[in-house]
Amino acid sequence: MKIKLDLHDIFNKGTQIDKALRDVIDEAIQKKATLVEIIPGKGSGALKKKVIRFLEQKDIKQLYHRVEKDGDNWGRLFVHFKFESSQGKGRRGR
């Protein structure tokens, strides 16, 4: 499952950006999405830097697996998540 967040509409609203980023991370965890696509847009690059700083916060960084910068479109980031499979794991009946 992939979730997409386009920040074009709120690019100049700092608190809304942080909330939107936190909400999409929470949604990915809740839905066990393996990928979140974040589109800060190309522009000056300031919004992309803000997104990366957000993702590098210690409490946020522990929630995802890795961040990938799109090699073909530098106005896009991918946040990858890993979720443990419950199949075949856990305690056996006693």
Side-chain angles (χ1 to χ4, degrees):
M1 169 187 257
K2 174 179 148 183
I3 299 172
K4 184 175 178 179
L5 174 63
D6 189 339
L7 296 173
H8 283 99
D9 293 339
I10 57 172
F11 72 94
N12 61 351
K13 298 175 180 143
T15 56
Q16 287 184 18
I17 292 167
D18 287 351
K19 182 178 180 336
L21 289 168
R22 184 61 209 218
D23 288 350
V24 79
I25 297 290
D26 290 344
E27 181 183 356
I29 291 167
Q30 177 193 10
K31 294 181 177 178
K32 295 194 180 322
T34 55
L35 182 67
V36 171
E37 177 184 353
I38 301 174
I39 304 172
K42 294 180 181 176
S44 68
L47 183 54
K48 182 176 179 180
K49 288 177 188 171
K50 179 174 179 50
V51 170
I52 290 170
R53 279 193 306 271
F54 176 89
L55 293 171
E56 289 177 345
Q57 294 177 83
K58 188 176 182 180
D59 61 319
I60 301 297
K61 195 171 188 168
Q62 67 187 6
L63 301 174
Y64 63 86
H65 175 62
R66 69 183 176 94
V67 174
E68 173 188 6
K69 296 175 184 176
D70 188 340
D72 297 326
N73 178 353
W74 59 273
R76 183 166 66 170
L77 297 167
F78 298 105
V79 182
H80 297 267
F81 292 81
K82 274 190 177 178
F83 297 99
E84 295 284 325
S85 172
S86 61
Q87 293 178 335
K89 294 190 178 186
R91 293 188 279 171
R92 295 182 182 245
R94 293 177 188 202

